[in-house]
């Protein structure tokens, strides 16, 4: 198992299998096709709590458990961004290993108000991983897919030039009764000007399905 | 303006511009690129109410207004499915015309409980349009993006073999306090067995970004 130290130890990127690295070819473990699924019979899929598609090649959710693995296989994931400090469970690490999925860990504490303190630099580093299409398809998750995941996605939306009310509307859709003013203040204050170099990547996400702005 | 009558008059497909029809090439009006957006300056985008990505090439929202048009352009839409019986506003029709977007109208009444009566055949016909990748990128919308849109997306999830609790979880995320038991009963009772022929198309949606099961 190869462990990389990212900037300021904010991220540990664990290559659970050595191999495909950062090419743009499809993941070694291809997504299941309709035929595969037919062969698998009529079992139902169980997406993780709060699962949703953020943009082409980018998904979000709460903490996946073994019941979600067969669904996650249909996404053909190349990477997972994990936003909690707790060690990744063995069963999940095994799933990543057997599917050639790289894990990027950003240990953000799940503070509750009034002690919330989302580290901006960590979100910034995670955002760079999200914006790198070589990591796609990618799943972002924390524990419930509400606060830490919501803040990271909200900062991505700001980079995509969404107005703040739309960023908050999306955040609140997932956080529901647990929405935090402090998280929304964090997203409002997050400065995207320093990440303009990634703007084209960001906007290429919208159109990557249609062969524009994406080198494959 | 060409008007097509779909099965049992449930749908009026209006080709607001004659032309690209059903080829698999990119829409005549290409999505904006990062460079285009840079040239447009720093204006913020305003996604429609309740906007979200359903799957590759499929989006959902409430009723878009002119404030949302520049955002919708970034999606490079080829089609819109409109689920209300009210006539499509002139400004919206003009936007579709100038962007080469085909409008599929399915006039479902926005009944309130206890008089809800979502027509299963209409949802079935709309689902066939959703599943046809030749119509992608596609936006599904009604008035608020909660009930009619939620039921259509819920039936798509059943075809994608999502377990019912995940289908309801997604429905409730958009309907929030307006969630209707009758809508959830409709989704639970919706029979997907007659649409198995579309199963491979459905599952190909998941992987269409990665060149699997999609002929482009």
């Amino acid at each position: 198992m190869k462990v990389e130290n990212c900037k300021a130890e904010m991220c540990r990127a664990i290559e659970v299998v050595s191999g495909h690295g950062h090419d743009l070819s499809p993941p070694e473990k291809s997504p299941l096709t309709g035929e595969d699924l037919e062969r698998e019979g009529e079992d139902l899929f169980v997406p993780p709590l709060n699962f949703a598609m953020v943009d082409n090649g980018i998904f979000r959710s709460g903490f996946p458990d073994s019941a979600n693995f067969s669904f996650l296989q249909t996404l053909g994931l190349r990477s997972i961004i994990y936003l909690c400090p707790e060690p990744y469970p063995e069963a999940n690490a095994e799933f990543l290993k057997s599917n050639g999925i790289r894990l990027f860990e950003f240990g953000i504490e799940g503070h509750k108000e009034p002690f919330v303190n989302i580290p901006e630099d960590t979100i910034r580093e995670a955002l760079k991983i999200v914006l790198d299409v070589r990591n796609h398809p990618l799943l972002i998750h924390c524990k419930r897919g509400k606060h830490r995941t919501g803040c990271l996605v909200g900062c991505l939306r700001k980079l995509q030039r969404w107005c703040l009310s739309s960023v908050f509307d999306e955040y609140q859709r997932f956080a529901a009764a647990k929405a935090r003013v402090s998280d929304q203040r964090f997203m409002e204050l997050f400065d995207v000007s320093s990440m303009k170099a990634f703007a084209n990547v960001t906007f290429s996400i919208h159109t990557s399905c249609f062969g524009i702005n994406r080198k494959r």
Side-chain angles (χ1 to χ4, degrees), chain A:
Chain A
M1 180 178 280
K2 185 175 119 210
V3 178
E4 300 170 12
N5 291 316
C6 298
K7 183 181 175 189
E9 301 266 318
M10 283 181 291
C11 159
R12 291 195 313 135
I14 300 177
E15 181 102 45
V16 282
V17 293
S18 61
H20 57 68
H22 261 178
D23 58 27
L24 293 185
S25 59
E28 286 166 356
K29 177 81 171 74
S30 297
L32 297 180
T33 66
E35 292 77 0
D36 295 332
L37 293 162
E38 283 306 306
R39 280 194 296 274
E40 284 201 341
E42 292 306 310
D43 293 347
L44 295 178
F45 290 110
V46 184
L49 171 77
N50 258 338
F51 173 82
M53 192 164 192
V54 175
D55 208 328
N56 292 322
I58 304 176
F59 305 92
R60 64 180 288 171
S61 76
F63 214 125
D65 65 24
S66 57
N68 311 126
F69 292 166
S70 62
F71 171 77
L72 292 181
Q73 279 187 309
T74 67
L75 305 180
L77 295 174
R78 185 178 279 133
S79 319
I80 284 182
I81 290 183
Y82 173 52
L83 298 174
C84 307
E86 294 77 16
Y88 216 54
E90 191 51 42
N92 295 57
E94 274 304 312
F95 172 76
L96 269 56
K97 184 174 183 177
S98 59
N99 288 273
I101 300 169
R102 171 182 287 197
L103 179 66
F104 294 93
E105 291 185 277
F106 294 89
I108 299 174
E109 293 292 338
H111 299 294
K112 289 190 169 36
E113 291 187 293
F115 308 111
V116 181
N117 180 27
I118 299 276
E120 177 165 345
D121 289 351
T122 306
I123 292 292
R124 205 173 291 281
E125 289 307 304
L127 203 44
K128 291 176 184 173
I129 303 297
V130 172
L131 293 172
D132 188 339
V133 295
R134 297 171 299 181
N135 297 322
H136 296 182
L138 172 147
L139 172 68
I140 301 163
H141 80 81
C142 51
K143 192 174 176 188
R144 296 188 192 78
K146 292 180 175 182
H147 304 114
R148 288 164 280 198
T149 297
C151 286
L152 179 55
V153 171
C155 292
L156 170 65
R157 298 311 191 190
K158 281 192 74 173
L159 203 49
Q160 292 180 311
R161 304 230 304 268
W162 284 31
C163 63
L164 211 52
S165 58
S166 296
V167 173
F168 291 173
D169 179 58
E170 183 178 48
Y171 168 86
Q172 291 163 2
R173 199 177 300 140
F174 291 88
K178 302 287 189 180
R180 295 173 179 165
V181 173
S182 54
D183 283 349
Q184 297 177 73
R185 192 182 314 117
F186 170 81
M187 292 183 273
E188 179 174 6
L189 296 174
F190 186 79
D191 175 23
V192 295
S193 61
S194 67
M195 303 193 75
K196 273 191 173 160
F198 294 90
N200 286 353
V201 177
T202 307
F203 288 109
S204 75
I205 292 173
H206 269 315
T207 55
S208 58
C209 257
F210 311 104
I212 296 169
N213 273 13
R214 186 168 189 172
K215 299 169 190 61
R216 303 206 67 212

